[in-house]
Amino acid sequence: MKTTALFSIKGGVGKTAAAVNLAHLAARGGARTLLWDLDPQGAASFYLRIRPKLAGGSRRLLERKNRLGEAIKASDFTGLDVIPADFSLRRLVLELNDLDDPLARLRRLLRPLRDDYDLVFVDCAPGVSLVSDAVMRACDLVLVPTIPTTLSIRTYAQLVAHAREKGLDAAIVPFFSMVDRRRRLHRDVMLEFAGRSPECSRIFIPYATEVEQMGPRRSPVTAFGPASAPARAFEQLWSQVARRLGADG
Amino acid sequence: MRGIVDIGTGSCFAAPTRVDYAPMSRRSDPPSALEARAFAVPRQLPVPGIIAIATGKLTPSTQAAQPVHVRYLDTFDRRLRRTDLVLEHVTLPGATWLRYRAFGRTAGLMEAPDAPLPAFARDVSHYRLRSQLSALIDVRRLLVVAETRGRLTVSRGHDREGKTVLVVECFAARRGPYRLTVRPLRGYERFARHAIRRLRDVEGVVPDRSEPMLAASDGPDAALGGAADPARVDLDPDERADAACKRLLAALDAVLDVNAPGIEADLDPECLHDFRVATRKARSLLGEMKRVFPPSVTRRLRSDLGWLGQCTGPVRDLDVHLLEFGSAARDCEEGKGNSAAALRDHLAASRTRAYRALCRTLRSARYRRVRSAFRKFLESEPPARPRSENALVPIVALSAARILKVYRRILAEGRAIGDASPPEALHELRKSCKRLRYLLEFFRGIHPAKPVERTIARLKRLQDNLGEFQDVQVQRAVLQEFRESAGASLDAAGGAAVDDQCAALSERERKTRAEFAARFARFDSKRAYKEFAAALGRGRR
């Protein structure tokens, strides 16, 4: 079982859209896929029409062994299951802090599921915290959606520095998201960043209304608009991620 | 900017590719805490009413009944059926899927949506299903062995979020009761549990545990093939040798029967392969079991079977070359000129010619004569007082003696092979190994299991080396023959590519040959032979 987190310090960069679409594509290709919605806003759960509610909240999730398995819900897509969000996840930092070895806790929670799933995608809340550190410890790959703006690039640099300082050794791969190629700033930032960051994915997700349509349609864009530009970009990105996880496996 | 802009223009994204996520397991879908349940519903009950009972207070969305076509797929030798598995392909207007499940179970082990009807395992885009099928059926063709048509009504129960929490399907065949299936979804099992409870209370609705495939009618390929497994002949250790051998030969004859139509329909290269293996095994058995049948009969049957082997050889060789060189060519197409395509065309053209000749043979009077003579021999009762001296010997004793004799021959032949020995010596040893392997497989049921299995495993390692040596030699000869016959039709890069391939094969041949001594040394153990001989002796007593 391989775990991939969609994470960024900055909010509103397309983490959830990427997590939902990549998970959908992985499941469509035949992988037994689990999407863990760790963001208390519950957007990934919303997109997949799953009520963002965990019986007993985040505390019970951490306390009981195999609790994660009990929280799993099937999505409407074959092969894709979801651990829904809960508003109580906002307290997860405090609850993790009360436990021994908090950084290893999420990895331990996922361990009983390793025979049931091939891939886990974790949709994280924005910001650096103990939770994000624990996610990075539990993951094989951290995908960082990055809008091609100066501030986004700056937060990516902060994330990399933080991971290095904390000794979090998951592979961190940024990719550009919400790209408007008509904007000169976007083009310039991408050119400059790609030039100095070989780890940056060459695939980018264009800014498109189809992605916004995920809200009213409550479905991945790769399901309702598979021929659209963002859906095809997500396919390319998934192809790259799959190859990367495969090579590491 | 080039690298990024190239990828980013929406219109020039590559077509969706099949992503093979390598470490993905072959395991089944994660199980729901509750298995899907099927019910038989009398035809006089109204379908909408029954579905409404199942979905209860949930908001239902019911599709009108749609024509459905379910095809049950299996190989010509029924590999799935023999392992209690069912692969069904479902076609509805605008939707198709594959469901892979255990025989007699309603819940799928795996489901692959958007799946066109596959001809081979490699056509399945769902990675795990493809891996599982490939492991089970290898390169064999999937045939439609059964099919059923009817109308399917699918109803989904939704919760307040609009999320599907229960699926109820009602299949109406042309005759018989409806089959209503309640499919639970993980995390929402309670809705299915309620539905099952409500359905149980409806008069006339009963749980249906039957296997739908058994009620289906024959598919277009049902007449082709069937399950014939010569390994399943149960021999009695004290059975007289001629009767036991006849039973084994009859099982092999059944394999010929099963595969012949598949060869004529050019259905699957494996039909021809299995046909040839059965021919070889039958010929080998007749040759090894000395003085069990009258010499004139043995000689005639062996000659007939040898003729069958010769007739089928060229097509099989070309099938293997097409498979070998086809995949090798795909891997190294770039910069290799026109050699890969030319070689494929050359092999395909040769195969077409050889296949036509084979079909003529299969329709010939001689073929019919050979097969009917073999059948007549198999159907004849063993004589009460046979003239052949080994006919009445218990098969356990005769087979043990023969196995040990061939074993000793292998040891002697192998020990005589040195670094300077010609390839023919290895070829002879390979044939002896094959004889021993066949004997062990024929008679594994009447000798102590563990020593036999251990010997087969040790022998297999030696056979792998000898087989690879032979394959590489044959492939090199094919390439050289192609290089000469292709002549000017090959461009410079193509010619160089063929030379490179020949050189690579020569290197592989050298390595395999160098490895032989070590492989044989591992097989050549006096202690292992003695233990094996003692075990066979004990079995005889």
Side-chain angles (χ1 to χ4, degrees):
Chain A
M1 186 174 83
K2 295 276 181 168
T3 308
T4 302
L6 274 295
F7 177 65
S8 169
I9 294 177
K10 212 170 171 306
V13 293
K15 289 186 296 294
T16 303
V20 169
N21 286 296
L22 291 177
H24 172 249
L25 289 169
R28 203 178 67 182
R32 299 170 308 159
T33 308
L34 179 66
L35 174 61
W36 188 359
D37 190 355
L38 258 184
D39 186 344
Q41 293 176 56
S45 309
F46 175 83
Y47 280 150
L48 294 169
R49 296 174 182 267
I50 292 170
R51 200 169 149 228
K53 183 79 192 154
L54 288 170
S58 59
R59 178 167 286 280
R60 210 164 122 196
L61 199 71
L62 294 175
E63 276 171 358
R64 280 176 49 193
K65 205 181 165 191
N66 295 338
R67 175 66 191 99
L68 218 48
E70 292 164 22
I72 292 172
K73 304 276 184 193
S75 76
D76 287 353
F77 301 97
T78 308
L80 174 58
D81 290 348
V82 180
I83 300 174
D86 188 284
F87 200 54
S88 65
L89 286 170
R90 69 191 187 282
R91 291 192 299 267
L92 193 59
V93 179
L94 302 172
E95 284 153 3
L96 270 180
N97 212 13
D98 290 344
L99 300 168
D100 297 336
D101 199 3
L103 286 183
R105 185 61 63 154
L106 297 188
R107 186 163 34 182
R108 231 177 282 157
L109 280 175
L110 282 169
R111 203 173 293 154
L113 301 177
R114 63 178 179 255
D115 285 344
D116 283 354
Y117 294 95
D118 300 311
L119 288 164
V120 179
F121 288 90
V122 185
D123 182 28
C124 305
V128 179
S129 67
L130 193 59
V131 178
S132 64
D133 289 356
V135 167
M136 281 202 265
R137 181 59 64 82
C139 287
D140 302 285
L141 180 66
V142 179
L143 290 174
V144 186
T146 308
I147 301 176
T149 59
T150 313
L151 285 182
S152 270
I153 298 291
R154 188 169 163 268
T155 55
Y156 171 70
Q158 285 173 329
L159 169 67
V160 172
H162 174 75
R164 199 175 299 144
E165 187 190 316
K166 292 276 180 182
L168 304 167
D169 48 8
I172 300 177
V173 175
F175 68 92
F176 286 111
S177 168
M178 303 170 75
V179 174
D180 184 349
R181 286 178 52 250
R182 290 167 306 180
R183 292 192 194 183
R184 184 164 185 172
L185 175 72
H186 279 204
R187 294 200 304 271
D188 287 349
V189 169
M190 285 164 75
L191 187 61
E192 192 272 330
F193 183 72
R196 67 180 158 87
S197 307
E199 76 276 17
C200 179
S201 167
R202 313 300 287 181
I203 312 297
F204 67 77
I205 311 300
Y207 182 83
T209 48
E210 285 92 342
V211 179
E212 289 175 344
Q213 281 293 315
M214 285 173 64
R217 287 178 180 255
R218 299 188 72 176
S219 172
V221 64
T222 45
F224 68 77
S228 64
R232 294 168 75 149
F234 279 123
E235 284 213 27
Q236 295 284 309
L237 184 63
W238 161 235
S239 168
Q240 209 172 62
V241 170
R243 242 172 260 134
R244 170 134 200 171
L245 291 172
D248 292 348
Chain B
M1 195 68 208
R2 188 184 295 160
I4 298 173
V5 173
D6 282 355
I7 300 165
T9 44
S11 58
C12 72
F13 282 123
T17 46
R18 186 160 81 184
V19 178
D20 288 349
Y21 168 57
M24 204 191 299
S25 68
R26 284 188 200 157
R27 288 169 192 270
S28 306
D29 294 339
S32 168
L34 186 69
E35 199 176 307
R37 300 281 169 84
F39 293 87
V41 179
R43 280 190 99 94
Q44 60 268 28
L45 292 181
V47 174
I50 294 292
I51 287 179
I53 290 171
T55 48
K57 287 178 186 166
L58 290 169
T59 313
S61 66
T62 305
Q63 286 174 342
Q66 291 180 298
V68 63
H69 186 187
V70 184
R71 295 176 177 98
Y72 296 92
L73 309 177
D74 206 340
T75 57
F76 69 95
D77 55 356
R78 307 296 186 265
R79 292 200 162 213
L80 296 175
R81 181 67 195 83
R82 270 159 44 189
T83 37
D84 280 339
L85 290 164
V86 176
L87 179 65
E88 58 189 25
H89 182 267
V90 184
T91 308
L92 279 171
T96 56
W97 66 91
L98 278 166
R99 183 176 288 139
Y100 182 63
R101 58 179 174 80
F103 187 84
R105 304 299 283 265
T106 309
L109 295 167
M110 283 186 212
E111 286 204 16
D114 305 327
L117 186 70
F120 297 96
R122 63 172 180 264
D123 299 336
V124 176
S125 62
H126 187 283
Y127 180 87
R128 277 181 298 127
L129 182 53
R130 189 169 71 247
S131 311
Q132 279 228 352
L133 283 176
S134 298
L136 206 62
I137 69 171
D138 201 7
V139 294
R140 283 166 182 79
R141 184 182 279 274
L142 287 163
L143 310 174
V144 180
V145 293
E147 62 183 342
T148 184
R149 288 173 192 272
R151 296 185 78 77
L152 186 74
T153 310
V154 181
S155 182
R156 293 167 205 280
H158 301 282
D159 65 4
R160 272 178 296 177
E161 301 282 327
K163 166 83 182 72
T164 305
V165 293
L166 175 70
V167 179
V168 180
E169 294 169 2
C170 184
F171 175 72
R174 286 188 184 133
R175 293 183 294 276
Y178 301 128
R179 187 178 164 92
L180 190 99
T181 309
V182 177
R183 296 196 184 278
L185 293 164
R186 187 167 185 175
Y188 301 99
E189 286 88 354
R190 65 193 167 98
F191 297 102
R193 224 168 263 133
H194 295 325
I196 290 166
R197 204 175 303 142
R198 284 192 295 268
L199 285 168
R200 275 197 192 128
D201 293 340
V202 180
E203 204 179 321
V205 175
V206 288
D208 182 359
R209 294 195 179 85
S210 64
E211 167 52 54
M213 189 170 77
L214 297 179
S217 47
D218 280 353
D221 307 323
L224 297 170
D229 190 354
R232 299 213 174 149
V233 177
D234 281 331
L235 295 176
D236 175 359
D238 297 323
E239 196 171 355
R240 51 188 275 185
D242 57 354
C245 288
K246 269 195 179 179
R247 289 209 293 132
L248 286 168
L249 290 168
L252 293 165
D253 187 55
V255 177
L256 301 186
D257 277 342
V258 161
N259 288 287
I263 300 172
E264 282 203 75
D266 205 8
L267 199 65
D268 183 338
E270 293 307 296
C271 291
L272 181 61
H273 174 61
D274 288 10
F275 185 95
R276 274 176 61 72
V277 171
T279 315
R280 247 186 348 241
K281 281 186 167 180
R283 191 165 181 270
S284 177
L285 184 69
L286 285 163
E288 294 306 320
M289 294 286 107
K290 310 266 186 220
R291 295 180 290 284
V292 169
F293 302 113
S296 60
V297 173
T298 305
R299 219 173 15 250
R300 179 174 52 79
L301 291 177
R302 273 179 53 79
S303 152
D304 286 350
L305 290 164
W307 174 72
L308 281 182
Q310 277 167 17
C311 299
T312 48
V315 180
R316 176 61 191 167
D317 289 349
L318 287 159
D319 279 341
V320 172
H321 298 326
L322 274 167
L323 211 66
E324 289 274 336
F325 291 118
S327 60
R330 274 193 295 278
D331 292 344
C332 58
E333 203 102 25
E334 254 175 63
K336 299 288 182 188
N338 64 351
S339 67
L343 177 57
R344 265 200 306 265
D345 293 348
H346 167 76
L347 291 171
S350 307
R351 203 249 176 213
T352 307
R353 279 193 300 275
Y355 176 68
R356 273 195 211 121
L358 174 60
C359 287
R360 278 196 297 277
T361 305
L362 293 179
R363 287 192 290 266
S364 70
R366 184 175 175 187
Y367 175 78
R368 283 196 299 276
R369 232 177 9 248
V370 163
R371 292 295 314 276
S372 95
F374 193 38
R375 213 164 293 139
K376 209 169 150 193
F377 160 75
L378 295 172
E379 284 165 1
S380 63
E381 282 295 315
R385 276 187 296 172
R387 276 177 297 166
S388 307
E389 60 186 279
N390 286 337
L392 294 176
V393 176
I395 190 65
V396 67
L398 191 68
S399 59
R402 195 61 204 167
I403 286 169
L404 293 176
K405 186 158 187 182
V406 179
Y407 195 141
R408 286 195 298 274
R409 191 199 301 160
I410 289 172
L411 294 179
E413 284 178 2
R415 284 171 193 159
I417 294 174
D419 289 344
S421 300
E424 290 75 27
L426 279 94
H427 183 54
E428 284 306 312
L429 178 63
R430 189 178 67 86
K431 289 203 285 191
S432 299
C433 288
K434 213 174 244 186
R435 284 187 198 112
L436 178 59
R437 177 87 174 265
Y438 289 161
L439 285 172
L440 291 168
E441 285 173 356
F442 282 138
F443 301 113
R444 73 206 308 174
I446 54 172
H447 294 294
K450 263 193 183 168
V452 170
E453 298 307 327
R454 221 176 290 141
T455 306
I456 289 178
R458 290 172 52 242
L459 183 64
K460 195 173 171 302
R461 283 193 284 274
L462 178 61
Q463 282 186 295
D464 287 346
N465 174 265
L466 293 166
E468 188 174 356
F469 184 68
Q470 164 83 0
D471 290 349
V472 172
Q473 282 203 317
V474 172
Q475 281 175 28
R476 194 159 50 87
V478 168
L479 274 185
Q480 279 164 348
E481 190 261 326
F482 162 67
R483 180 85 165 94
E484 281 158 24
S485 65
S489 65
L490 272 185
D491 59 17
V498 174
D499 291 342
D500 286 352
Q501 262 183 297
C502 282
L505 286 170
S506 297
E507 177 57 18
R508 227 174 96 197
E509 183 183 333
R510 192 193 58 72
K511 274 190 184 161
T512 316
R513 178 70 178 83
E515 216 180 287
F516 167 75
R519 288 276 181 115
F520 182 74
R522 275 204 291 277
F523 181 78
D524 183 15
S525 152
K526 277 184 188 165
R527 195 176 144 196
Y529 173 77
K530 274 187 185 167
E531 282 175 6
F532 181 62
L536 255 57
R538 276 198 300 279
R540 244 187 296 177
R541 279 196 294 278

